[in-house]
Amino acid sequence: DADVTQTPRNRITKTGKRIMLECSQTKGHDRMYWYRQDPGLGLRLIYYSFDVKDINKGEISDGYSVSRQAQAKFSLSLESAIPNQTALYFCATSDPNDPAGELFFGEGSRLTVL
Amino acid sequence: AQSVAQPEDQVNVAEGNPLTVKCTYSVSGNPYLFWYVQYPNRGLQFLLKYITGDNLVKGSYGFEAEFNKSQTSFHLKKPSALVSDSALYFCAVRDISNTGKLIFGQGTTLQVKP
């Protein structure tokens, strides 16, 4: 089983619908992140969390919200989806005890908003 | 502000030839630098990182990267390319705020032809 699991892997929805992307991890890391990937733009940070009570905005948080339900679970919501939120979304984790540690990514959730 | 630039959208190389994927960075202080690879419909896989010490860093799948402080570069290299190396490659720098988050470049598509 993957260490970082994202559901759904693919989703097509319509403008105005509420969408939730879920992420769970078995690495035991406190830190979790949501990134968005767009062609030619690389990955941009939406939100990150250090623990259940610590949620922080990233560089492109407008239109998104998150919930950290447990150490292992971090969900991203689009309250009212719009077409320019069509993208590939990645969840990632990192070990706060390793100051030079890499991020561990899930397989991604491809969202299409019509 | 911290940033990473990958000046080439695409790199084409023949199988068996050496390859280089370029990355330059801008960050105050000593950087922690990373390379990731993304295969189609997959998440990002960690290849290697530079923290300190030897400027030549060896990583997974025969890849290596050369850190050059004077040129603020961290180019990814491989002595002999394989068709299976064809993928999207991302360079990233660790944010200095100790949040663990990574700042990514735009990505470079590597195409290795038989």
Side-chain angles (χ1 to χ4, degrees), chain A residues 9 31 33 35 37 40-43 45 48 50 88 90 94 98-108 110, chain B residues 32 34 36 38 41-46 49 51 88 90 94 97-107:
Chain A
R9 293 291 312 280
R31 295 182 173 182
Y33 310 81
Y35 280 88
Q37 181 184 358
L41 297 179
L43 278 76
L45 184 63
Y48 60 102
F50 289 169
L88 183 56
F90 285 105
S94 74
D98 184 357
E102 63 268 28
L103 297 188
F104 297 86
F105 285 85
E107 296 281 278
R110 185 171 296 280
Chain B
Y32 292 164
F34 301 78
Y36 283 82
Q38 183 183 21
N41 300 314
R42 301 297 301 276
L44 275 72
Q45 297 179 32
F46 169 74
K49 65 183 174 184
I51 304 171
L88 181 58
F90 289 101
R94 183 88 171 228
S97 64
N98 197 31
T99 58
K101 58 185 178 181
L102 296 183
I103 299 166
F104 285 86
Q106 308 94 311

Side-chain angles (χ1 to χ4, degrees), chain A residues 1 6 16 24 32 35 37 39 44 53 56 61 66 71 83-84 87 92-93 100 102 104 108:
Chain A
D1 289 340
Q6 293 183 230
S24 63
M32 297 187 74
Y35 280 88
Q37 181 184 358
R44 294 178 292 167
K53 297 181 181 180
N56 303 277
S61 59
V66 291
Q71 186 211 37
N84 76 359
T93 74
E102 63 268 28
F104 297 86

